């Protein structure tokens, strides 16, 4: 065989490898974006639960008297829920850029932290700072969101691993693939 045939076979092999690499990483990124959409739905549902409860309390119906400390903590939860709703509802929903992912993670963790701080506050004469039915609804929604978050982080970790593998690393950035951040 002549050398020309070997060069064509080598070029075809590299081309098939590049197409396969691109398809594999694209499928993984598409899975991550799909699961990110599910996570967005779960996280925003938690935020909406807080905002709806705040609207009910603010409307004067079914309002329980709260201590000033509990009111301040509740306001912190509402502020964090509003931030989650605005950040997670932005136009850049389908991006896995590290900066956007860090912003999503930061506001979601702030909401969880504010909620934990509110729940950990001691009951006063007015009772628990959060009614039991609301607490159960939050914990159910947050548990779903955390489960989806863990699944997303696993998918992103695999995606990042594939992008950073030695042969793929040489061409992945030129193909438009960048490392993402977990939430």
């Amino acid at each position: 065989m002549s050398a020309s045939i070997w060069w064509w076979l080598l070029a075809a092999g590299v081309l098939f490898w590049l197409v396969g690499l691109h398809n594999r990483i694209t499928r993984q990124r598409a899975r991550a974006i799909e699961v990110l959409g599910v996570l967005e739905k779960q996280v925003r549902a938690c935020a909406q639960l807080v905002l709806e409860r705040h609207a009910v309390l603010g409307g004067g119906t079914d309002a329980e008297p709260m201590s000033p400390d509990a009111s301040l903590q509740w306001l912190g939860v509402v502020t964090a829920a509003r931030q989650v709703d605005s950040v997670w509802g932005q136009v850049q929903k389908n991006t896995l850029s590290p900066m956007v992912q860090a912003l999503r993670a930061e506001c979601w963790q702030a909401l969880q932290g504010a909620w934990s701080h509110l729940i950990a506050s001691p009951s006063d004469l007015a009772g628990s700072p959060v009614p039991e039915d609301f607490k159960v609804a939050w914990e159910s929604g947050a548990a779903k969101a955390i489960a989806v978050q863990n699944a997303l982080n696993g998918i992103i970790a695999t995606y990042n691993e594939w992008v950073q593998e030695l042969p793929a690393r040489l061409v992945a950035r030129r193909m438009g693939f960048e490392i993402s951040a977990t939430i």
Side-chain angles (χ1 to χ4, degrees), residues 30-104:
R31 281 183 62 210
I33 290 171
E34 180 181 344
V35 175
L36 179 63
V38 174
L39 178 60
E40 176 194 357
K41 180 180 174 184
Q42 294 298 325
V43 168
R44 291 187 74 194
C46 290
Q48 286 300 318
L49 183 68
V50 170
L51 295 175
E52 288 169 4
R53 182 66 180 186
H54 177 66
V56 167
L57 290 176
T61 59
D62 205 23
E64 298 102 12
M66 278 191 215
S67 69
D69 189 41
S71 295
L72 218 95
Q73 291 173 349
W74 178 250
L75 189 58
V77 173
V78 170
T79 303
R82 285 183 181 144
Q83 183 185 12
V84 163
D85 200 42
S86 69
V87 167
W88 282 77
Q90 286 181 351
V91 181
Q92 297 181 339
K93 292 181 182 179
N94 293 336
T95 184
L96 294 175
S97 75
M99 186 178 73
V100 175
Q101 291 287 78
L103 187 60
R104 287 178 182 138

Side-chain angles (χ1 to χ4, degrees), residues 18-181:
L18 287 172
V19 168
L21 173 73
H22 184 271
N23 288 342
R24 179 177 71 152
I25 295 175
T26 299
R27 280 192 307 269
Q28 191 70 0
R29 184 172 60 182
R31 281 183 62 210
I33 290 171
E34 180 181 344
V35 175
L36 179 63
V38 174
L39 178 60
E40 176 194 357
K41 180 180 174 184
Q42 294 298 325
V43 168
R44 291 187 74 194
C46 290
Q48 286 300 318
L49 183 68
V50 170
L51 295 175
E52 288 169 4
R53 182 66 180 186
H54 177 66
V56 167
L57 290 176
T61 59
D62 205 23
E64 298 102 12
M66 278 191 215
S67 69
D69 189 41
S71 295
L72 218 95
Q73 291 173 349
W74 178 250
L75 189 58
V77 173
V78 170
T79 303
R82 285 183 181 144
Q83 183 185 12
V84 163
D85 200 42
S86 69
V87 167
W88 282 77
Q90 286 181 351
V91 181
Q92 297 181 339
K93 292 181 182 179
N94 293 336
T95 184
L96 294 175
S97 75
M99 186 178 73
V100 175
Q101 291 287 78
L103 187 60
R104 287 178 182 138
E106 180 183 323
C107 68
W108 172 231
Q109 290 170 355
L111 178 58
Q112 290 175 317
W115 176 263
S116 297
H117 190 63
L118 177 65
I119 294 301
S121 65
S123 298
D124 58 8
L125 294 176
S128 175
V130 177
E132 194 62 34
D133 62 333
F134 181 59
K135 184 178 178 180
V136 168
W138 166 269
E139 289 174 354
S140 172
K144 289 177 187 176
I146 290 169
V148 174
Q149 178 182 355
N150 291 337
L152 175 63
N153 287 341
I155 292 169
I156 288 175
T158 303
Y159 169 79
N160 287 341
E161 182 182 311
W162 288 355
V163 169
Q164 292 177 339
E165 286 179 342
L166 183 56
R169 182 184 322 170
L170 302 173
V171 294
R173 185 169 293 274
R174 290 188 185 116
M175 290 181 176
F177 299 113
E178 294 180 344
I179 295 173
S180 181

